[in-house]
Amino acid sequence: KVSFVRSVFIFSLLVPILFYLCLKQKFEKTENLILILISCTIFLSPYFRTSAFWGLEENFGIIFLLLSFLSLSKFLSNVNKLTNYYLLFLTTLLSSACLYFDQKLAIIPLICFLQIYFSNKSIKLKILSILFYLIFSLPYMYLITIWGNIIPAADASSRGIGDQLYFQHLG
């Protein structure tokens, strides 16, 4: 148990590094020291520190969120046709993995998909992205079929989810 918690803690140290890389890619002309200081602001979050210290899984979702935005940015700026297919696969895989690590990040695949769809890339790449997202959603669709709900049956029954719909709380 201790080695698992330590490994999650060490793996969580990737978050500020990936955040720095995202900032560096977006703001190329900004001074590195400023970007490093901004990327270290994640350490001020008690949610992040608690997740890293106690070995919770939420930071994995953050890591894959940053990785998916890095690959999406590379994909959108890339002009090499052969590399586009690899980057498209990587972007769809990483953004789909965000959902599997933390269901709160379900919007990340949608953002990536819309960015790809409204980009100036070829229609072939856009159709391929739809195919990739359909393939990567199959395990989740299987889980929904087994559970009979969007969350596990035990959790749904204890929370009263699925009994009735509360449209005012849809978000």
Side-chain angles (χ1 to χ4, degrees):
K1 183 176 177 180
V2 172
S3 63
F4 174 75
V5 171
R6 285 182 186 156
S7 66
V8 171
F9 178 76
I10 291 170
F11 201 60
S12 295
L13 293 176
L14 286 175
V15 172
I17 296 168
L18 291 172
F19 190 34
Y20 168 77
L21 293 174
C22 287
L23 290 172
K24 186 67 178 168
Q25 193 173 29
K26 184 73 175 170
F27 305 106
E28 296 170 352
K29 296 176 183 167
T30 307
E31 189 177 334
N32 283 337
L33 181 62
I34 294 172
L35 296 178
I36 290 170
L37 289 174
I38 292 172
S39 66
C40 287
T41 58
I42 192 84
F43 290 129
L44 298 175
S45 168
Y47 179 77
F48 174 78
R49 291 190 320 251
T50 302
S51 297
F53 183 78
W54 292 108
L56 305 176
E57 301 89 16
E58 284 85 2
N59 290 351
F60 292 126
I62 296 171
I63 288 170
F64 278 86
L65 175 141
L66 293 169
L67 285 173
S68 63
F69 282 156
L70 276 172
S71 63
L72 177 67
S73 180
K74 292 262 189 206
F75 170 74
L76 293 176
S77 64
N78 189 23
V79 292
N80 186 352
K81 288 186 178 185
L82 185 60
T83 312
N84 269 341
Y85 291 104
Y86 169 72
L87 289 173
L88 178 67
F89 175 79
L90 192 64
T91 301
T92 54
L93 175 68
L94 293 172
S95 65
S96 297
C98 285
L99 174 66
Y100 291 108
F101 281 113
D102 197 354
Q103 288 183 343
K104 294 181 299 252
L105 298 175
I107 195 165
I108 302 304
L110 179 65
I111 291 171
C112 290
F113 174 73
L114 291 176
Q115 286 284 326
I116 293 167
Y117 185 76
F118 291 116
S119 69
N120 58 358
K121 300 291 183 179
S122 69
I123 190 74
K124 188 177 183 181
L125 286 171
K126 294 176 183 180
I127 292 172
L128 191 60
S129 74
I130 294 171
L131 179 67
F132 283 152
Y133 276 119
L134 284 175
I135 290 170
F136 294 141
S137 69
L138 288 177
Y140 191 63
M141 296 300 169
Y142 178 67
L143 286 175
I144 290 173
T145 306
I146 289 175
W147 294 335
N149 206 334
I150 59 171
I151 62 173
D155 292 340
S157 64
S158 67
R159 296 179 190 168
I161 295 176
D163 298 337
Q164 52 186 311
L165 293 177
Y166 297 102
F167 289 107
Q168 66 269 21
H169 301 294
L170 191 60

